[in-house]
Amino acid sequence: MSDGVADPGLTVHAVVRNRVSERALDAVQGVGDGLEYRLVEFGALAAVVTDAVDPPADPYVLRRHGRIVARLLRRSSIVPLPLGFVARDEDVVRVFLEGQRVPLLEALEYLEDGYELRLHLSARTAGHSEDQLRTVAHHVYEPRQHQARAARLLSEGGRERLLSAAFLIPRSEWIRFVEQVSDGEGRYPAGRMDVTGPWAAWDFIPVMPAGLPATTREDP
């Protein structure tokens, strides 16, 4: 508390393994571009935090959150947390890390060395039957599902956007994944394929800590 105004607290952007990527994480602190963060450590875990900004719905806050998560992702395996996860102080952050220690460690292991890519399949032209479009969606999704470590359908069955899906891909394989989608697009003249990413694995967090708000995605 200062001059009667409550401290806005800390925004928690992600959780990483404590010390595992210390050199890489420390290298991006204090860079002077508004993305400086610090680590709140508890045992094997560390939370990546910044001073909260009020109001939290400001577009600047969304952009900063996305950029910090993206920068962390380039240097470490992370569990990204939704925009708007604000703690009163570092003690509250440590309580969170302690209480969610098991699911967070399991999530870090599950997401280890992975990127999320999203595939959007749209109808290229009119004049195709619903059965034809469903067949195209099936033939596009199934091979990618087998190629990925994990896959999730986000939406399907629309007349214009036939399918949106998320894929958890090893970091070393993501460029190959994009190239294979591009190479296969010519086989399905009814559909147009767009791949976005790589993103943090928002759609593959095995256990989202209780009480957190819904995820804000980078890719609408």
Side-chain angles (χ1 to χ4, degrees):
M1 185 80 66
S2 175
D3 298 328
V5 179
D7 190 321
L10 301 172
T11 295
V12 186
H13 300 279
V15 174
V16 299
R17 285 190 177 89
N18 193 11
R19 304 294 184 186
V20 170
S21 300
E22 181 178 14
R23 181 179 298 178
L25 291 170
D26 285 348
V28 299
Q29 298 181 74
V31 292
D33 61 358
L35 301 187
E36 298 88 346
Y37 58 78
R38 61 188 182 273
L39 303 180
V40 177
E41 303 173 0
F42 183 87
L45 298 169
V48 178
V49 305
T50 59
D51 293 331
V53 176
D54 195 30
D58 191 296
Y60 162 76
V61 178
L62 174 60
R63 289 194 298 270
R64 185 183 68 158
H65 179 65
R67 291 175 65 198
I68 288 173
V69 168
R71 174 170 284 177
L72 291 166
L73 183 65
R74 291 196 295 271
R75 292 161 170 82
S76 177
S77 296
I78 69 171
V79 176
L81 294 183
L83 177 68
F85 182 37
V86 177
R88 184 181 66 248
D89 53 33
E90 291 191 5
D91 287 340
V92 173
V93 176
R94 292 188 183 95
V95 169
F96 159 69
L97 293 177
E98 180 180 20
Q100 298 295 330
R101 182 180 66 85
V102 172
L104 287 170
L105 286 172
E106 288 177 347
L108 281 166
E109 182 175 355
Y110 180 68
L111 302 176
E112 180 71 31
D113 199 33
Y115 283 146
E116 177 174 328
L117 296 173
R118 297 188 192 129
L119 171 63
H120 305 296
L121 175 65
S122 304
R124 188 183 297 276
T125 59
H128 299 282
S129 70
E130 289 189 13
D131 285 343
Q132 287 175 315
L133 296 177
R134 278 196 296 269
T135 298
V136 170
H138 172 78
H139 284 296
V140 168
Y141 177 74
E142 188 169 302
R144 305 287 82 77
Q145 180 184 22
H146 293 308
Q147 181 183 356
R149 186 188 302 171
R152 278 191 60 190
L153 280 171
L154 304 178
S155 66
E156 61 178 328
R159 287 291 302 175
E160 294 184 2
R161 179 169 282 189
L162 312 178
L163 173 148
S164 288
F167 301 89
L168 184 60
I169 304 292
R171 290 176 186 241
S172 60
E173 294 290 318
W174 80 269
I175 293 177
R176 179 168 169 264
F177 180 93
V178 174
E179 290 174 342
Q180 288 181 339
V181 170
S182 179
D183 291 344
E185 187 171 14
R187 295 198 296 271
Y188 304 106
R192 183 181 70 251
M193 302 179 208
D194 297 303
V195 178
T196 64
W199 309 114
W202 296 107
D203 292 295
F204 298 99
I205 301 173
V207 179
M208 177 57 69
L212 294 185
T215 296
T216 298
R217 304 180 189 281
E218 302 100 322
D219 175 35

